[in-house]
Each structure stands twice: as structure tokens, then as C-alpha cells.
Amino acid sequence: MTAKQSERAAHADRIGALGARVRFDQVEKQYPGGAANAVDGVSLDIAPGEFVTLLGPSGSGKTTTLMMLAGFETPTAGEIWVDDQAIAAVPPWRRNIGMVFQNYALFPHMTVGENIAFPLKLRGMPRDEVTRRTREALDLVGLPGYEGRYPRQLSGGQQQRIALARALVFNPRVLLMDEPLGALDKQLRERLQLEIKALHDQLGVTIIYVTHDQQEALVMSDRIAVMNLGQIEQIGGPGELYDEPASRFVASFIGESNFLDGRVTGFDDGLGVIEAPGVGMLRAPAHGGCAINSEVALTVRPEKIVFADELNGASANTIDAEIVTVIFVGEMHRYEARLGGGQTIVLKRQHRSGVGRCGRGDRVRLGWHVADGRLV
Amino acid sequence: MGDREFDPIQQAQNRRRHERMVMLRDLDVMSRREVLRRGGRLAAGVSAASLLLRAGFPIVPTMAQGTPAASEIKLPEYGEIPANLKGSGELRVISWGGALQDAQRKAYFEPFQELTGIKVVESEGPDTSKIKAMVDSGNVEIDVAEVGYDGVLLLLKQGDYWNKLDYSLFDTANIDASRRHEFAVDMLPYGTVIGYRTDVFPEGPTGQKDFWDLTKFPGPRTTESGTGGVLPFLEGALIADGVAKDGLYPLDIDRAFNSLSKIKSDVVKFWDAGAQPAQMLNDKEVVMGHSWSGRVYAIEAAGAPVKTVWNEGMLSTDVWASPKGSNAENANKFMAFTLLPVSQARLCSLIPYGFVNNAAAKLLPAERVAMLPTAPEYKDQMFDTNVQWWADNTPAVTDRWNEWILE
Amino acid sequence: MATAARAEQARRFERLERLTQRRYLLLLAPAVLFLVIFYGYPVAAMLLRSFNDPAWGFGNFKPLTAARTPIEILGVSLPMNAYLRVIGITLQIAVGTTIATLLLGYPVAYALASMPMSRANLLMIFVLVPFWTSILVRTYAWMALLGTDGIVNEVLMGLRLIDQPATLLNTRGAVYVGMVHILLPFMILPLYAVMRGIDRNLMRAAENLGARPWQVFRSVFLPLSLPGVAAGCLLVFILALGFYITPSLLGGQRDIMISMLIQQQVVQLKWGFASALALVLLVISLIIYLVFVRVLGVQRIFGGGRR
Ligand SMILES: Nc1ncnc2c1ncn2[C@@H]1O[C@H](COP(=O)(O)OP(=O)(O)OP(=O)(O)O)[C@@H](O)[C@H]1O
Ligand SMILES: [Mg+2]
């Protein structure tokens, strides 16, 4: 082993243990011939060792953002930093960023062992070291002894794990994962979500994860960046996004939500008063974004809506409604109720017995605590 | 090969050969010569030139350019024809199709039908094995066929397949005895001659010795190959080596190849397609070459500075023959009719093959006669190929050629 | 009772399975029948002919073993004759042509496969145009280009690179040029098909893992394109073995290929010997095919790679 090789290996070890800080600064990408920017002014500061998920509908620019970080696309504007290095001029093969592709991109002509050893050999690692590290990587993803197989001899979940092992084996500072679980069935997906999460905790590598499955994002991430039309609509922890969506898009994209359209008529003790046609006057916490007479939507999560008699002391909004459907979804009942203005809202209630509280056609009075509503 | 069995596969091949012939029908008549070389014994396979022509590629100006359009030609007219040629019924003739059969139709078939009262029924693609099958099965559908003389000889070895010709019907006064065989008669002579560039040699070669003289007439040459459906011009090699042209046969194969060796390094190409020597002369790839006579004439007529040396050229020809069991009477009348001086002159006006009846020369313009291989002035200069010798010796020559060319 | 029912069910299932399989075989039947009648029978008859025409035995193979002009290699005298030498020349030309088409075709296929589909389809026309022109026309075009007064010589002389026309036509080089030109599409098409099928993400993955572009090519793209290389080489080589017109028109005295000898014998009605030569050509083709299959695996050649 040459001095240079050992130094390289040691360096890889050092940075891998830490994870890098990744910063996007007003990054834009317009594909040649593309009308709008695929990525449009994305700024994002990811701490070392953080798990950040890019969540958004198809075409919102998630992959493009990853590709620019990995070096396969060049930003048309802005700058990307890894630790304190601007990486625009660094070719992909020197970025030392691991990546798990959506379809795994395992080399079909190489065995599992060769696939995992590939990045190590390129780094000039001596053979016994390569063998050892390959074995360790396979242990890490729970597939010891699979060196001799070819990718086509593996199940989808196994291929996914090999792709993960290959992306991690060279101790990258950052790991990118583009919908890595998209092709797997629900059960396997949920198990691997937890495994990846555990690996992240164990290794401390910075992970940028792409998905359009909000459930997955909520389960795994430290922070979630919700993307839409190339822009980040909101970034925050899972709870923050769920409870305090900054926009109707975010509210609708993460979890289920009810929207009641109305107009701000005044303010009362830090609460905005809005008039919702056919529903009545409703109140919700005000924020800087709403002025008198502005058109807003009051959003409230289905599980926050209760039957009026369940409300306790805190100030609440109440509305009259007629139950349209009742569905028993296992852990709870899901009701759809029509309001005076003709709009429908959804509420979910958990009842001790499997029997619903009321049935189709019943006129009921519903309500929610003022603090549970949000103007967007 | 005289006692070869005839079998289904060969017959299938023959059928295919026939189809190919039909496909070639609208092409340059000389395309047929390539597959007909030396009396038709090589009539098989796809020669490169026939393909060149099938592809419709203008290798060289075609024969048509050497011959005025058929409508402009004034054909000699018949006076009174001999009464014994008249008759009734029909005459079924098979020829090679294409421009040749078109010319034969105008020159022979139409007037024959009109003047003798015998209806002519044409078909295309003669084939000795097919004729054998017809005779064997007793279902003869052909009265006269244009075939190679070796095909006639081949079938004669196997049995009684041909009608003897009745020369009493023929006007033999001007038909050389060498052209009249017991079971066939020559009918379509063509020459193998030297063509040379007049811009390179104002004083050109006069015979095969000059063709072999690399100091007096230096430059690249071309001559016939032993592959691709043609045979090497051993006669020319022997004449150049000092053998008299009337004492050529049996050919001394060793001596001929030794003679060929002397010019081998100056032969840039041994050609196997009739179009090639003319094209090479035309493009000045060679300064002289052995070629079939009509080809050189065609490029000369199109303005290329080339000339034909008839001296020590070789005459080959197809024959008419009549299968056993056919209408021999009408067949003889037909053959005799086509060999009338007027008939011969009519064909020579349409297409530059030679005539068999020497009296035809008097019916043609002098400049037309000069381009035919059988013009009286060339008669003593040229010699006839010996079909029998080639029929017996082709395998030996080919075997020798294959070794020699790789030496 | 339950087991009996299950066994019955299994039997029924098996029968169904067999029936389905038989139905697939039925789909193959027309093609197989066609091949047997129009290809199998004539080929078998031809092969038989090499042993029984004009008489039973190995007589037709005698000329192949005759030591007409033995050659000395390292002091050992090897029996040699025109037929063996022509087989040698044929193999030499076929190998040379295959290598040249591969070297020329690979970059072209690579470029086409790297382009957006729409542009590649457009440019593919230029690869295919020669397909629409007859071999003869293309060969003749080369005769016009390579001739003494041909364009190539004129350009070279015009540039004063040479002062008298070079002999380009009627040489082995001209044979290669003509054959490569004709066979190039047969190399490019399978290469292109395989290369198109290579997942571009694999290239990105390799780069991402630290491979420089040439390393990506060497360790990922090249191995994955090998099935195309094998298919292209096999196709070109076997087609080249049977070439006839191009070497005959463009080649020199010694550029004789085995098909020319076969034709020579067919024309002379020595069909037995012609069949023997054809048999040799067939055997060579089969051996080459088996070697390819052995080395590369048939499914890699015809399965379009492992994915
Ligand atoms: N190579 C390309 N050329 C042109 N436009 C592209 C290219 N790749 C992506 N786009 C466009 O850029 C936009 C963002 O694409 P991107 O692949 O980043 O979306 P995504 O969020 O990853 O979507 P998905 O969830 O479907 O993978 C889309 O409108 C897409 O059509
Ligand atoms: Mg994507």
C-alpha cells in the first residue's frame, strides 16, 4: 500500500464519519428547450449528518436538484456548497457523494461483490482491504455472503440494499437517495425505511432523500423540504409541516386537510375573524400574511374536528353539517359532512366500539378549537 | 461429365437458371454472353456482370448505343422465298429472351410466320437438361432451341436426343461446312478480340504476339479469368507463343499457362464479366485487353479512343438444334429460313453478332459489316473455338488455373 | 380424499401446461416448416451431393487434401493447394473486414446511442442508406473512386501528395474498403441496439462512484456493449465469408474467395465438388459460431445482454 493510498483511505474514513454540510444558494436549472425552470431558486442549508427529504409531486424538480449536487447537471444559476467548497468545478467522479438510484443502477455484469468493490478499487485500495470493506458493507445491510451473486439473482429489496451498500462503502460525506424504495411493496418499503433510518443514525452521514410519498418523508426525515414547480414551498420538521403548513399546497400535500374559503373581516385578540359563505363567522390564529378583506382559506386537519359536545372549555368554532358518508377505516371512523355552503369537510373520530356515532343523513353540530385552525 | 445423372435438384437449379434468364430479358443482350461463354456450357450461376446489368448500372454504353434504334433501321426485305420452306401448323422456338430475342423476332420470327404460313410460338430460357426431360417423357414442347453446341454433344453421348438436320432445305451455298453439324447448325457467332487504346498506341498491336510484347506495348492489360463463369484465353496465349492458329487444338495446357505467366504481372485484372474489359479500356485502367467483340465496339461507338484488333481473334457461336420427337419438318424449314442471307442480314442490322451465311455481307452496309466478327476481311484472320476440346478439358484447365493464379 | 383431489388437480394443471406449450410450438410450426422445406432440404441435399456426386465416397474432398504446392513453415512441409489457400485467403479477408468494421462501427454506434432518440433516428438514415443501394452499385462506385483516374487519385495528385496515380483498384485494400463499406451497417445496427439498451444511469452510477469517463467506458459501457460486439462480429464475419461480387470486382489476382471457387465449379456442373467446398464454408461458419457461443454465451449474443 502506497503512502498516497493509505492517506486517501484515512481521509475517506475521516470525512465519512462526520457527514458534510450541504448548502444550495439560489440554485436554478433550466433544461435546454425547457420553458420554465426545472429548479427555480432553491436555497437550502443542510447540517452535517442531517436527514433531509425533498418531497413533492412528479416534475417538481427533486431529481434535478439531486443531479446538480451529484454533478450530472450543471446549475444555470446559483451555487452549491459542500462543507466550504463550491462544487461547480468539481467533476462528478471527484465529488465523493454517494448515490442510490431509483432503479438501483447495479452493474449487471458484475457480481454483488464486484459492484460494492468498484468504488474501492477506483480509489486504489489494496485488495485485502477491499475484500474486508466489501464484507463489512454487506454485513451492514444484512446480506452477508452475497458477494458471488449477480444482481439479477436478487430480489428487489436485496438489490436495493446492495445499492445502498455500494453507495456507502466508500464513506461518502453525503448520501443521495432518489426514490430508493419506489419500486418495492408497501411492507418491504416500511421495513427498509426503518433500516435506512437506523443506518443513518449509526453512520452519521448527511442524507438527502427524494420521495413523493409524504408518509415516508414524515417517518424518516429530520427536515422535509416540500417542492412544487421547482421551488421549495416550505421546509421544516415533520411536525412543523403538519401542524403549521405555510401554504395550501403544503397543507394538502402533507396529510389530509379541510379547506374553508372565506374573507378576513377583522381581528380579535390575535385571532383573525373570517366570514365563510354559507358557513358563518370562523376564527383562527392570525399571522402577518393576512390583512382585512383578503381572501384566505382556513385549514383544519380532519382529526382535529370533533362533534360539538366533545369540545372542552377552550374557545372553538362550531358549524352545522349533515353527515353524507361514514366509513370505518380500521382504527377510526371517517365522516364526510356537507356544510351550509355546499362544501364538504372530512373528520376522523376514534370511538371505543366499532360503532359510529351517527349515520348518513344525520344533522350534527361539529367544532374545533380555534388554535387548531390555520389561515393559509 | 458426359454421363452425369439428371436429378431433381439439378432440374430445380436449371429452373432457377431459367428464371434468371427471364429476369434478364430487358437487359443488354451481351449480359447473356457471359453466361453463355464458349457454346453455352457455362450457362449457369450468377455472373458478376449479369448482376451489374441487373442492377441497371451503366457500366459502359450498352450495345444499344452501338446500334441505331430498331425503328430507324432499314431492314433488308425478302423477295420470293424458296417454295419448300412454306408449310402449315406451328413452330415452337426457344431462345434467350432479352434484346437478342427481340431482334430475332423482328429479323426471323415475324417474317417466317408471314411468308411461310407457319405460326411461330416463342419461349425463353433454353436448357439442355430440360430438353432431355422433354424427350425422355415424350412430351416435347420445343421444335427448335438455341443452345450451346456442347450441350448438343453432351446429350448425344447419352442417347438419341436430336433430330438430324435436313440440309436439302437449306441454301448452303454460302454457309461454310464447318458451320453445319449433323445435329445442329451454327447461328450466332461472336468474337474474342483485342481492344486497345489508340491514344496510348497510335500504332496499335496487330495480334496476340503484340499483346504479349511488354516492351513494344507496355502498360496494364486485362484478359479472361478462370473463375466467375468464364475461361482463360489459352488460344491467345498459345498463338503468342508461336503456335499457328489453325493448329491450336488440342491445346497444350502447360505451354499456354507458361505463356500466360509471361504477362501475369502486367495483367491488373483477370475479368470474369463481359462488361469489365470494356469498362477498363474506357476508363484507361488498361491499355489493351481481350474482350468480346461487341463490347469494344460499343465503347468505340460512344467515342472512346479504342480500336478492335480482329486478327487472331477467336470465333464462338450458338447453334440451332431440334429435339427428337418435335416437328422436324417445320424445324428444318425454320432453321433454313433463319440462315437465308436476308434473315442473317436483318439480324446483323439489329444487333452486332456475326452472320453464318456469308452472302449476308453483301446485303449490309460496309461500315456495318466491319463491326461484325464474321466480316469477310476478318475471316482469314480469326479462328474457330473447338467446343469439343473445351467440353472435354474444362475441369483440367480450371484446376490448373486455380493453382496458377495463386502462384 | 383431499390428497386424491389435489393430485387430480395437479394432473389437470400439468395437462394444461403441456397443452399451452404445445400451442406455442404450433406457433413456430409455419416458420419451421418453411425453413425445413426451403432451406433444410436444399442444404441437406447439397451436403449429400458432396458425398455422392458423381460417386459415393470422399472423392470430392480429395482436391482439398492434395499437396500440389506444399509450403514450408519452420522447416515443416505442409500440404498446400489452391483450395486450402483460397480458404486461408477467405478467412484472412473475413477477419480483416470484421476488425475494420468493428473499429469503424463502434464509435459511430456509440455516438448514435448517446444522442437524443430523435437525432439518432435521423442520422440512422445515413447508416441505412447504403442498404437501399445494391451491392453492385456501391462496388462500382468504389471502382470509379479508386481507379487510376479516379477521384481519390485525382485528389492525392491535386494535393501533390503523389505525382503519379497510385494503384488502388484491384488490390486487397480495395477489397477491404468495398466490403467494409457494405458490411458496416451490419456491425453498427446490433451495436447500436445493444448500446441503446444500456441504462444511462449505470454510467452515472459509475461516475458517482469515482470512475473517470474512460474508466466508466472501460469497466461499464464496454463490457455491457460486448453482446453487440459479438453479434456484429459474428454477422459481419459470416457474411464476409460468403462474399463474391465485391472481391471479384475490386480485388487483385490473388484476392480469390471460396465462394468464387464454388461458383466456378457450379458453372462447370461439377456440383459434387462445389458442394464439398460449400460444406467446408458451412463448417467454418459453424465453428466460428460455436467459438463465439462458447466464449460469450449464446444468450449474451442474442439475448441483448444481461439486465
Ligand atoms: N433532461 C431533461 N431535459 C429537459 N427537461 C427535463 C429533463 N429532466 C427533467 N426535466 C424537466 O424538469 C422538470 C423537473 O424534473 P425532475 O426530474 O427533477 O422532477 P422530479 O421531481 O424528480 O419528478 P419525479 O417525481 O417524477 O421523478 C420536469 O418538468 C421535467 O420535465
Ligand atoms: Mg425524479
Coordinates of all heavy atoms in Angstrom, one line a residue, chain A residues 31-32 34 38-39 56-65 73 102 178-179 210 212, ligand 1:
Chain A
Y31 N -33.5 23.4 -18.3 CA -33.0 22.5 -19.3 C -33.1 23.1 -20.7 O -34.0 23.9 -20.9 CB -33.9 21.2 -19.3 CG -33.6 20.3 -18.2 CD1 -34.5 20.1 -17.1 CD2 -32.4 19.5 -18.1 CE1 -34.2 19.3 -16.1 CE2 -32.2 18.7 -17.1 CZ -33.1 18.6 -16.0 OH -32.8 17.7 -15.0
P32 N -32.1 22.8 -21.5 CA -32.2 23.4 -22.9 C -33.6 23.1 -23.5 O -33.9 21.9 -23.5 CB -31.0 22.8 -23.6 CG -30.4 21.8 -22.7 CD -31.0 21.9 -21.3
G34 N -36.4 23.7 -22.3 CA -37.4 23.7 -21.3 C -38.0 25.1 -21.2 O -37.2 26.1 -21.2
A38 N -36.7 24.1 -14.3 CA -37.0 22.8 -13.6 C -36.7 23.0 -12.1 O -37.4 22.4 -11.3 CB -36.1 21.7 -14.2
V39 N -35.7 23.7 -11.8 CA -35.4 24.1 -10.4 C -35.3 25.6 -10.4 O -34.6 26.2 -11.2 CB -34.1 23.4 -9.9 CG1 -33.7 24.0 -8.5 CG2 -34.3 21.9 -9.8
G56 N -42.3 16.2 -3.0 CA -43.0 17.0 -4.0 C -43.6 16.1 -5.0 O -43.2 15.0 -5.2
P57 N -44.6 16.7 -5.8 CA -45.2 15.9 -6.8 C -44.3 15.6 -8.0 O -43.2 16.2 -8.0 CB -46.4 16.8 -7.2 CG -46.0 18.1 -6.9 CD -45.1 18.0 -5.7
S58 N -44.7 14.8 -8.9 CA -43.9 14.5 -10.0 C -43.6 15.7 -10.8 O -44.5 16.5 -11.0 CB -44.6 13.4 -10.9 OG -43.8 13.0 -11.9
G59 N -42.3 15.9 -11.2 CA -41.9 17.0 -12.1 C -41.6 18.3 -11.3 O -41.4 19.3 -11.8
S60 N -41.6 18.1 -9.9 CA -41.4 19.3 -9.2 C -39.9 19.7 -9.1 O -39.6 20.7 -8.5 CB -42.0 19.2 -7.8 OG -41.4 18.0 -7.2
G61 N -39.0 18.9 -9.6 CA -37.6 19.3 -9.7 C -36.7 18.6 -8.6 O -35.6 18.9 -8.4
K62 N -37.2 17.5 -8.0 CA -36.5 16.8 -7.0 C -35.2 16.2 -7.5 O -34.1 16.4 -7.0 CB -37.4 15.8 -6.3 CG -38.7 16.3 -5.8 CD -39.5 15.2 -5.1 CE -39.9 14.1 -6.1 NZ -41.0 14.4 -7.1
T63 N -35.4 15.3 -8.6 CA -34.3 14.6 -9.2 C -33.3 15.6 -9.7 O -32.1 15.5 -9.5 CB -34.8 13.7 -10.3 OG1 -35.7 12.8 -9.7 CG2 -33.6 13.0 -11.0
T64 N -33.8 16.7 -10.3 CA -32.9 17.7 -10.9 C -32.0 18.3 -9.8 O -30.8 18.4 -10.0 CB -33.7 18.8 -11.6 OG1 -34.5 18.2 -12.6 CG2 -32.7 19.7 -12.3
T65 N -32.6 18.5 -8.7 CA -31.8 19.1 -7.6 C -30.7 18.1 -7.1 O -29.6 18.5 -7.0 CB -32.8 19.3 -6.4 OG1 -33.8 20.2 -6.8 CG2 -32.0 20.0 -5.2
E73 N -25.8 17.3 -13.6 CA -26.4 18.5 -14.3 C -25.7 19.7 -13.7 O -25.3 19.7 -12.5 CB -27.9 18.6 -14.0 CG -28.8 17.4 -14.5 CD -28.9 17.3 -16.0 OE1 -28.4 18.3 -16.7 OE2 -29.4 16.3 -16.5
Q102 N -32.9 5.4 -8.4 CA -34.3 4.9 -8.2 C -34.4 3.4 -8.6 O -35.0 2.6 -8.0 CB -35.2 5.7 -9.1 CG -36.7 5.2 -9.0 CD -37.7 6.3 -9.4 OE1 -37.3 7.3 -9.9 NE2 -38.9 6.1 -9.2
D178 N -32.6 8.7 -4.5 CA -33.7 9.2 -5.3 C -34.8 8.2 -5.4 O -34.7 7.2 -6.1 CB -33.2 9.5 -6.7 CG -34.2 10.2 -7.6 OD1 -35.3 10.4 -7.1 OD2 -33.9 10.6 -8.7
E179 N -35.8 8.3 -4.6 CA -36.9 7.4 -4.5 C -36.4 6.0 -4.4 O -36.8 5.1 -5.3 CB -37.9 7.6 -5.7 CG -38.3 9.0 -5.9 CD -39.7 9.1 -6.5 OE1 -40.4 8.1 -6.5 OE2 -39.9 10.2 -7.0
V210 N -35.1 11.7 -1.7 CA -36.2 12.2 -2.5 C -37.3 11.2 -2.5 O -37.1 10.0 -2.6 CB -35.7 12.4 -4.0 CG1 -36.9 12.5 -4.9 CG2 -34.8 13.6 -4.1
H212 N -41.9 11.0 -3.2 CA -43.2 11.8 -3.3 C -44.2 11.2 -2.4 O -45.4 11.5 -2.5 CB -43.6 12.0 -4.8 CG -43.8 10.7 -5.5 ND1 -43.3 10.5 -6.8 CD2 -44.4 9.6 -5.2 CE1 -43.6 9.3 -7.2 NE2 -44.3 8.7 -6.3
Ligands
LIG1 N1 -33.1 16.0 -19.2 C1 -34.2 16.9 -19.2 N2 -34.4 17.7 -20.2 C2 -35.4 18.5 -20.2 N3 -36.3 18.7 -19.2 C3 -36.1 17.9 -18.1 C4 -35.0 16.9 -18.1 N4 -35.1 16.2 -16.9 C5 -36.2 16.8 -16.2 N5 -36.8 17.7 -17.0 C6 -37.9 18.5 -16.6 O1 -37.6 19.2 -15.4 C7 -38.7 19.2 -14.5 C8 -38.2 18.6 -13.2 O2 -37.9 17.2 -13.4 P1 -37.4 16.3 -12.3 O3 -36.9 15.0 -12.9 O4 -36.4 17.0 -11.5 O5 -38.7 16.0 -11.4 P2 -38.9 15.1 -10.2 O6 -39.4 16.0 -9.1 O7 -37.7 14.3 -9.9 O8 -40.1 14.2 -10.7 P3 -40.5 12.7 -10.4 O9 -41.1 12.6 -9.0 O10 -41.4 12.4 -11.4 O11 -39.2 11.9 -10.5 C9 -39.8 18.4 -15.2 O12 -40.7 19.3 -15.7 C10 -39.1 17.6 -16.3 O13 -40.0 17.5 -17.4

